[in-house]
Amino acid sequence: MREDEFITQHIAEKKQKRKKLMGLAGKAALAGASFALGAAVVALAACPMIAKHWKAAPGKESVRIERDESEGAVEANEQLSSPVENTEGSGEESAAVENKNVREQVEQVLESRNYELSDLRQMAGTLRKLADSADASVVSVTHEQAERDWFNNALESSENYAGLAVAKTENELLFLTTSAAVEGTDSVTVTLSRGDKATASVKMRDSVYHLAVLSVPITDENRESWGKLPLVPFGNSYRLKRGELLFFVGSPLGMIHSVKYGILSNVQTNVSVVDGYATIYFPDVSADATSGSWVLNADGELVGWVTDLFSEKGENSTATVMGLSDFKPAIERMMNGKETALLGIYGRQVGSAQRDLGMPAGVYISRVEQNTPAYAAGVQPGDILISLGETKIQNMRDLESAMEKLSKGEALRLTLMRNGREKYETITLTATLAGR
C-alpha cells in the first residue's frame, strides 16, 4: 500500500464517522425534546395534586425566631459571686463629653418650654394607641374544670388567663400563655376581644418557666377572622436599659385586657436558672404573673413576661420580668412542638480567683433540682461539671449551647470533678435527659 493511499482511506473514514455522529446527535436532541415535553405535561398535571396535598398537610411549616446577640455576652471572671448589675459604661472620654453637651442642650430646651394640658393629652393618646394596638393581639384563655362538692354534686368552674398571638403558619395561629392556663388539660377555649371563640390545643408546655404554646387551626371558615389576627413581634430584650418605658398587656391587673405602664428600674444579668443563665428586669410596677402579663417595649415588641419564679410566697411588690432573648431558642422549639431537654442544675462559672485556689475550671453546681435527671444520676451541689458527652464545659454559655443540641430521652455522660479529702477527683455519671 502506497503512503498516499493510506491517507485517502483515513480521511474517508473520518467523514463517515462525522455523519454518524451528527445523526446520533439529532436523534438525541429529538429524544431530549420529547422527554422535556412529556415532563412538562406530567408536571402540569401533577401540580394541582401536589399543591392540594401540600396545603392539606397540617403543621409542616416550621416557625423560626431570630436570635439576639447579648451586648454583655462575656461572662464575669468571678461567677461564683452574686449577679452583677448591668450598668452602662461611660465609653471613651470624647464620646462622654459629646453626650454631656447634647444632654445639656436638651435639658435647656425642655426647661424653657411651657407645657400645657394638651401636651399631656397628646402623650397619653400616643400611649393609648400603642396599648390598643398590642391589646388587639390579646386573647382570653378559658380553662374549664369539672369538680364535685362534699355531697358528690357535679360542679363546673372556669378560670381566665391571658394569651398573646405571636406567630402564624399557613395552617395554625400560635399563642403564648402561662402553664397555669393549661394545667391538667390538652385543650382550652380562646376568645377574641370581639367575642369570637375557638378551641385551642396545647402544642407544648414548659413547666420550668411556666409557659405554654397554644395552637388554633386556621381553616377556610375562620381564615377571615382568626387568620388576620395581628401578631406581636418579638423584640430584643438585651437592648433594654434602665429608665425605659415598658408596657404590660394581657392581665397585669388580674383582669384580661388590662394594661399598665412602667419604667425599667433595674437589670440583673447572669442570674442562675435551670441549666443556664437569664437576664432579669425589675420595673417600678406590680403585675399578675399567674394570669399572664406580657411585657412590650416602646416599639410594641414583646421583650419578656412577668414571672413569680424569684418571688417569695406572700410577696406582692414590684414585678419580676424574664427577658425574652434568653429563651427564644426554647420558645421556638415549643412552637414547633418540640420539648426542651432538661438536666436540672443551677451553676456558675468557676472564676480565675477560685482556680488560683485549686478549683478546676468548669461550672460549679450550686444546686440540683429535685426529681430531675441530674438528681437521679447522683449529681451533688459542689460538683464541678467539666464536660457533657464529648463537649467540654467551661462556663454556663457552653452548657446552654450544649443543651440546645440535646433531646429528651438521650442518655448523657456527665464528667464532673468532686472534692475529696485531699483533692478534686474525676467522676463520671450517666443522666437520661427529661423534657421541660
Side-chain angles (χ1 to χ4, degrees):
M1 182 184 291
R2 302 193 314 273
E3 183 178 356
D4 57 350
E5 184 180 353
F6 167 75
I7 295 174
T8 304
Q9 290 177 355
H10 181 69
I11 293 174
E13 184 179 357
K14 194 169 184 179
K15 288 182 179 179
Q16 291 176 357
K17 287 185 176 180
R18 186 178 301 166
K19 288 183 179 179
K20 186 180 293 185
L21 289 173
M22 290 180 65
L24 291 174
K27 292 180 180 179
L30 182 60
S34 302
F35 177 79
L37 181 61
V41 172
V42 172
L44 289 174
C47 278
M49 291 184 291
I50 294 174
K52 183 178 180 181
H53 174 74
W54 182 266
K55 184 176 180 181
K60 295 297 183 183
E61 184 180 354
S62 61
V63 179
R64 175 69 179 166
I65 302 177
E66 183 179 356
R67 305 295 194 269
D68 301 325
E69 288 294 332
S70 172
E71 297 178 2
V74 179
E75 297 187 76
N77 290 330
E78 303 298 336
Q79 289 297 339
L80 293 182
S81 60
S82 59
V84 181
E85 183 180 345
N86 181 20
T87 57
E88 298 182 44
S90 58
E92 298 181 0
E93 185 177 351
S94 58
V97 173
E98 182 179 354
N99 290 337
K100 182 179 179 182
N101 292 335
V102 173
R103 184 170 63 252
E104 290 177 350
Q105 294 176 14
V106 172
E107 289 176 351
Q108 291 176 0
V109 172
L110 293 176
E111 290 175 358
S112 62
R113 176 179 172 85
N114 294 322
Y115 290 94
E116 298 179 357
L117 185 59
S118 58
D119 296 313
L120 181 60
R121 288 174 176 169
Q122 183 177 0
M123 182 180 297
T126 301
L127 295 177
R128 185 174 63 251
K129 288 180 181 179
L130 289 171
D132 290 343
S133 177
D135 189 65
S137 303
V138 172
V139 296
S140 175
V141 180
T142 305
H143 180 186
E144 297 182 355
Q145 293 178 320
E147 300 177 349
R148 290 188 177 275
D149 61 15
W150 288 95
F151 303 99
N152 203 32
N153 296 318
L155 297 175
E156 290 186 1
S157 62
S158 62
E159 296 183 8
N160 292 326
Y161 303 84
L164 193 68
V166 291
K168 179 171 56 177
T169 69
E170 181 66 21
N171 302 301
E172 62 181 350
L173 185 61
L174 300 175
F175 300 86
L176 278 178
T177 189
T178 67
S179 58
V182 299
E183 186 175 357
T185 184
D186 292 326
S187 64
V188 292
T189 301
V190 176
T191 307
L192 299 177
S193 58
R194 60 174 178 265
D196 294 6
K197 295 180 182 292
T199 299
S201 60
V202 181
K203 189 156 192 178
M204 191 56 61
R205 65 192 87 202
D206 189 321
S207 59
V208 173
Y209 297 114
H210 300 173
L211 285 179
V213 171
L214 304 177
S215 171
V216 171
I218 297 178
T219 63
D220 294 337
E221 290 75 17
N222 68 7
R223 195 172 299 275
E224 287 298 317
S225 55
W226 291 88
K228 294 184 178 180
L229 189 68
L231 307 177
V232 172
F234 288 120
N236 188 344
S237 61
Y238 292 140
R239 296 176 181 171
L240 293 176
K241 305 296 181 183
R242 289 176 298 178
E244 290 195 35
L245 177 67
L246 297 176
F247 290 81
F248 297 77
V249 298
S251 183
L253 287 175
M255 297 177 288
I256 313 300
H257 296 294
S258 57
V259 63
K260 275 190 175 184
Y261 310 102
I263 299 298
L264 181 56
S265 301
N266 188 267
V267 180
Q268 289 187 357
T269 60
N270 296 337
V271 177
S272 183
V273 294
V274 176
D275 299 337
Y277 275 158
T279 303
I280 307 301
Y281 303 88
F282 299 91
D284 62 348
V285 297
S286 61
D288 192 304
T290 304
S291 297
S293 297
W294 311 101
V295 185
L296 282 61
N297 60 18
D299 294 324
E301 299 170 330
L302 180 67
V303 290
W305 68 94
V306 177
T307 180
D308 55 5
L309 288 177
F310 306 95
S311 302
E312 298 292 336
K313 290 185 178 180
E315 183 180 346
N316 187 20
S317 56
T318 60
T320 304
V321 176
M322 298 285 276
L324 175 69
S325 294
D326 291 311
F327 302 98
K328 282 186 175 181
I331 292 175
E332 179 182 288
R333 286 191 290 272
M334 292 174 67
M335 289 181 173
N336 290 299
K338 300 177 181 178
E339 282 191 271
T340 297
L342 171 68
L343 181 59
I345 63 172
Y346 294 79
R348 292 196 174 280
Q349 175 188 349
V350 176
S352 59
Q354 285 77 29
R355 292 197 299 270
D356 292 341
L357 295 174
M359 293 181 66
V363 168
Y364 177 86
I365 299 175
S366 58
R367 175 184 161 194
V368 181
E369 193 80 0
Q370 292 188 6
N371 301 320
T372 62
Y375 185 86
V379 179
Q380 299 177 8
D383 289 345
I384 298 175
L385 178 65
I386 60 174
S387 70
L388 287 179
E390 301 298 326
T391 304
K392 291 184 178 180
I393 305 297
Q394 294 185 329
N395 52 54
M396 291 298 289
R397 302 302 176 190
D398 293 341
L399 174 62
E400 289 177 327
S401 299
M403 290 298 296
E404 283 187 24
K405 301 172 185 177
L406 300 172
S407 303
K408 175 184 176 181
E410 288 191 48
L412 185 65
R413 187 180 74 254
L414 312 177
T415 305
L416 307 107
M417 302 297 292
R418 180 167 293 176
N419 196 3
R421 291 184 177 181
E422 298 180 357
K423 62 178 182 179
Y424 278 89
E425 300 176 351
T426 303
I427 64 171
T428 302
L429 302 174
T430 301
T432 302
L433 298 179
R436 297 197 323 214

